[in-house]
Amino acid sequence: MSKLEQSLAAGHFTFTGEVGPPKGVDLHHVMEGAAVMKDKVVAINVTDIQTAVMRLGSLAVSAKLVEAGVEPVFQMVCRDRNRLALQSDLLNAYVLGIRNVLAITGDHVVKGDHRDAKPVYDLDSVQLLKAATILESGSDMGKDFKGRPNKLEGAPKFFKGCVVTPCSDMVEAQILKLEKKVAAGAQFCQTQAVYDAAAFEKFMNEVRRRNIQIPIMVGIVVLKGLGMAKYMNENVPGVVVPEPLMKELSETPKDQTKKKAVEVSARLIKQMKPMCQGAHIMPLGWDDTVGQIVDAASA
Amino acid sequence: MIIQKQKAFEDILKSLEGEQKVFLAGCADCAAACKTGGEEELVEMKARLEAAGKSITGTAVFDTACQLGAVRQKAREYEQAIKEADSILVMACGTGAQTIGETLEKKAHIGVDSLFVGQVNRLGKYTERCSTCGQCVLEAFEGICPVTRCAKGLLNGPCGGSKGGKCEIDPEKDCGWVLIYKKMEALGKLDKMRAYQPAKDQGSRHTPRQFTWPKKTPEGIKK
């Protein structure tokens, strides 16, 4: 059982962090980032070619974290691999010691730096969760020549995660899909960034009303200032930084930006702590803030 | 309909480099509807090519340029003009161009880009509705195709990239899943959104695709 699974099963309010692999092969920054936050979080997500910008992969960096004694959450997007490669990478992950996987649709290639690439999406995130569940049962998605399910030589076992966007303007459709993810095998959920505790409460009430019982970890993207908040409001679907918070950020002196980021993140987590089972902190490179946020939110 | 647009004239000229005599072929079907290779467009292309120093041995608008028999039959009327030409410039879709090239055993150049199978909203505006995936799922989604209208072809619901009913890839494009959701909601069929949709059998999209009737003339079909 992964530490993440154990922590959530034990009912501890659980923190996860996140690192983004570099564009290139210099692991220095990403390993340093993981080292900075590892004692404050239970596991660290490794993003998978995030925003469709070509870079070092999630699998390799997740394996490097395992080597370094840090528990990774291996993020997998559906954009870049067909079902053969996705299933194979799940097996690869298992033999490399990776136990937490997170199924994500993935931003479209037009959002990234290889806009002329062919997007794959052979499976969607629900089907990817199902694929992982099938692998755990000792089979795969294929059939042998007699039409029977293939048998695996040794089956993996994962702690399978999914994502949801609580502040989406189509939140009802998001919750319907979350139900399907759970039915397909999702055991935990990390959300898209949330900055509005009231909206999150409404979302969580609806989730529990639907009897969705998996642990939900609220997502917090560390706000690196007013510019970033504005950018998220304008460009990131399903992320809303409310007006009072915008005002607060606008009144923050430049040299206090990082301090404010920690304060805001910790305050939000404290507000939402009674509603959910953990927090997933996405520092976007401000790796040193993660520990400070965890400490402040736990105080 | 095969939605298409003409290639840039400079690119067409470049493809004809070293060839003096050209036969122009169009199609009365999709190419005419998209104004790439109907009667008028061939007249215009003829004038432009002549102005660029080419001589046009003849022009023909085929009824359906993708239909082997029809192309062969119609080509008989233009036998001499085709024979004289160094090559044929086909102002029709890729299937039309290859059909003409194979049938007439003459080097065939393509003058258009085939874009997609689409709906004609009006002259000059076309939208994709079907990706010819080979296993129609419209019944499961109240008549709106997620394979085509969701940019990611997702079958189990929207991604997190929808905003104001629009898609993350282009604020001008509707999110297919918002359309599906709203329609199901209006029809009181939101329960259908809960049904797990298994991964598609992509075998029906493996190219080159072909389809042959099991019997030469199945029962009930009049030739």
Side-chain angles (χ1 to χ4, degrees):
Chain A
M1 205 188 263
S2 73
K3 282 196 287 174
L4 179 60
E5 185 172 7
Q6 280 172 35
S7 174
L8 289 167
H12 301 311
F13 190 81
T14 301
F15 289 97
T16 47
E18 184 169 294
V19 292
K23 193 177 188 73
V25 294
D26 184 353
L27 287 166
H28 183 76
H29 274 109
V30 72
M31 296 309 283
E32 204 176 71
V36 160
M37 64 181 95
K38 76 177 169 57
D39 294 330
K40 298 291 182 179
V41 296
V42 171
I44 298 176
N45 284 44
V46 183
T47 54
D48 185 17
I49 318 187
Q50 71 267 35
T51 63
V53 171
M54 197 295 296
R55 58 184 67 235
L56 183 62
S58 176
L59 181 61
V61 173
S62 293
K64 283 285 169 192
L65 291 190
V66 171
E67 249 176 48
V70 178
E71 183 167 303
V73 177
F74 170 40
Q75 296 196 178
M76 290 186 93
V77 297
C78 297
R79 178 193 56 234
D80 307 317
R81 285 162 288 193
N82 69 7
R83 65 193 76 177
L84 277 89
L86 287 168
Q87 291 178 99
S88 180
D89 271 355
L90 281 165
L91 299 182
N92 292 337
Y94 186 82
V95 301
L96 291 167
I98 296 160
R99 295 296 176 263
N100 307 309
V101 297
L102 189 80
I104 305 177
T105 306
D107 290 334
H108 196 279
V109 297
V110 305
K111 305 293 278 183
D113 66 352
H114 285 61
R115 296 169 60 89
D116 47 1
K118 181 177 183 176
V120 181
Y121 303 111
D122 185 29
L123 301 184
D124 62 30
S125 55
V126 181
Q127 293 157 352
L128 174 57
L129 286 159
K130 190 90 170 177
T133 304
I134 292 171
L135 291 176
E136 288 175 327
S137 77
S139 182
D140 68 13
M141 292 179 76
K143 299 259 190 295
D144 71 8
F145 68 97
K146 282 184 175 166
R148 297 171 306 198
N150 297 317
K151 280 200 178 74
L152 299 185
E153 244 177 270
K157 183 85 187 90
F158 297 109
F159 187 47
K160 304 179 292 300
C162 67
V163 300
V164 71
T165 307
C167 299
S168 163
D169 53 18
M170 284 292 287
V171 69
E172 178 65 19
Q174 284 285 319
I175 296 173
L176 279 166
K177 192 171 184 182
L178 179 60
E179 282 183 308
K180 290 168 96 166
K181 289 175 176 178
V182 175
Q187 296 160 286
F188 72 100
C189 178
Q190 292 173 328
T191 79
Q192 174 59 289
V194 177
Y195 299 104
D196 183 343
F200 185 66
E201 185 169 28
K202 216 169 131 206
F203 164 80
M204 284 306 298
N205 287 341
E206 189 55 25
V207 163
R208 297 312 181 207
R209 195 182 69 78
R210 305 287 188 89
N211 206 26
I212 298 171
Q213 294 298 350
I214 60 167
I216 298 205
M217 307 176 74
V218 64
I220 299 286
V221 172
V222 176
L223 283 173
K224 294 178 173 180
L226 183 66
M228 179 178 158
K230 271 187 187 157
Y231 178 85
M232 303 239 296
N233 270 342
E234 282 160 22
N235 297 295
V236 185
V239 177
V240 183
V241 184
E243 198 41 53
L245 183 50
M246 295 294 286
K247 190 162 178 287
E248 190 180 338
L249 293 172
S250 74
E251 287 162 356
T252 307
K254 274 243 154 57
D255 60 340
Q256 300 289 306
T257 314
K258 208 167 198 174
K259 205 175 142 209
K260 179 55 82 179
V262 171
E263 180 196 320
V264 167
S265 303
R267 188 175 68 216
L268 284 164
I269 293 171
K270 272 191 155 171
Q271 284 169 353
M272 295 186 276
K273 211 170 171 177
M275 309 166 195
C276 60
Q277 288 65 51
H280 175 56
I281 303 165
M282 296 166 264
L284 305 186
W286 276 13
D287 302 322
D288 56 330
T289 61
V290 173
Q292 297 169 41
I293 294 167
V294 171
D295 287 342
S298 310
Chain B
M1 180 171 298
I2 311 291
I3 308 305
Q4 49 198 282
K5 67 176 172 58
Q6 279 194 2
K7 284 181 178 286
F9 186 67
E10 310 83 75
D11 292 339
I12 292 175
L13 264 188
K14 207 171 168 200
S15 71
L16 296 171
E17 237 168 40
E19 289 159 12
Q20 178 55 34
K21 295 178 191 165
V22 179
F23 184 83
L24 272 180
C27 173
D29 218 324
C30 311
C34 293
K35 296 272 182 196
T36 52
E39 292 286 356
E40 286 172 35
E41 293 76 45
L42 291 199
V43 169
E44 198 192 328
M45 184 55 69
K46 179 172 187 282
R48 291 183 81 181
L49 287 172
E50 283 172 344
K54 304 285 180 192
S55 47
I56 306 302
T57 64
T59 65
V61 175
F62 291 88
D63 289 339
T64 315
C66 56
Q67 208 175 328
L68 275 171
V71 169
R72 197 175 294 129
Q73 196 177 6
K74 177 100 176 173
R76 285 193 198 117
E77 296 170 31
Y78 301 91
E79 208 178 337
Q80 194 52 37
I82 292 168
K83 207 172 167 185
E84 273 175 36
D86 298 320
S87 66
I88 304 171
L89 173 62
V90 183
M91 302 303 293
C93 74
T95 305
Q98 292 182 67
T99 305
I100 288 169
E102 287 166 27
T103 311
L104 309 184
E105 289 174 1
K106 193 73 152 186
K107 186 169 184 182
H109 297 285
I110 180 102
V112 313
D113 286 315
S114 306
L115 302 174
F116 50 86
V117 179
Q119 183 184 67
V120 182
N121 303 101
R122 58 169 164 77
L123 186 61
K125 186 169 193 268
Y126 313 95
T127 47
E128 190 177 21
R129 288 287 181 273
C130 169
S131 346
T132 66
C133 71
Q135 298 168 348
C136 192
V137 293
L138 279 177
E139 282 307 310
F141 302 102
E142 292 305 324
I144 299 169
C145 174
V147 177
T148 307
R149 303 200 67 185
C150 165
K152 302 173 183 177
L154 306 178
L155 292 178
N156 281 293
C159 69
S162 164
K163 191 172 185 179
K166 301 296 177 183
C167 176
E168 74 177 21
I169 71 160
D170 183 348
E172 298 294 311
K173 286 179 181 162
D174 290 328
C175 165
W177 271 102
V178 169
L179 299 177
I180 292 169
Y181 180 86
K182 289 200 166 147
K183 187 147 187 202
M184 287 191 178
E185 190 180 35
L187 294 169
K189 290 185 174 175
L190 275 179
D191 260 358
K192 274 180 103 170
M193 292 274 294
R194 287 200 171 85
Y196 172 71
Q197 299 293 337
K200 241 173 139 45
D201 175 356
Q202 300 286 2
S204 54
R205 297 175 103 168
H206 295 168
T207 56
R209 294 187 268 188
Q210 57 180 34
F211 172 62
T212 316
W213 284 350
K215 284 192 209 163
K216 204 167 180 191
T217 311
E219 277 168 47
I221 293 183
K222 283 184 191 157
K223 262 195 162 176

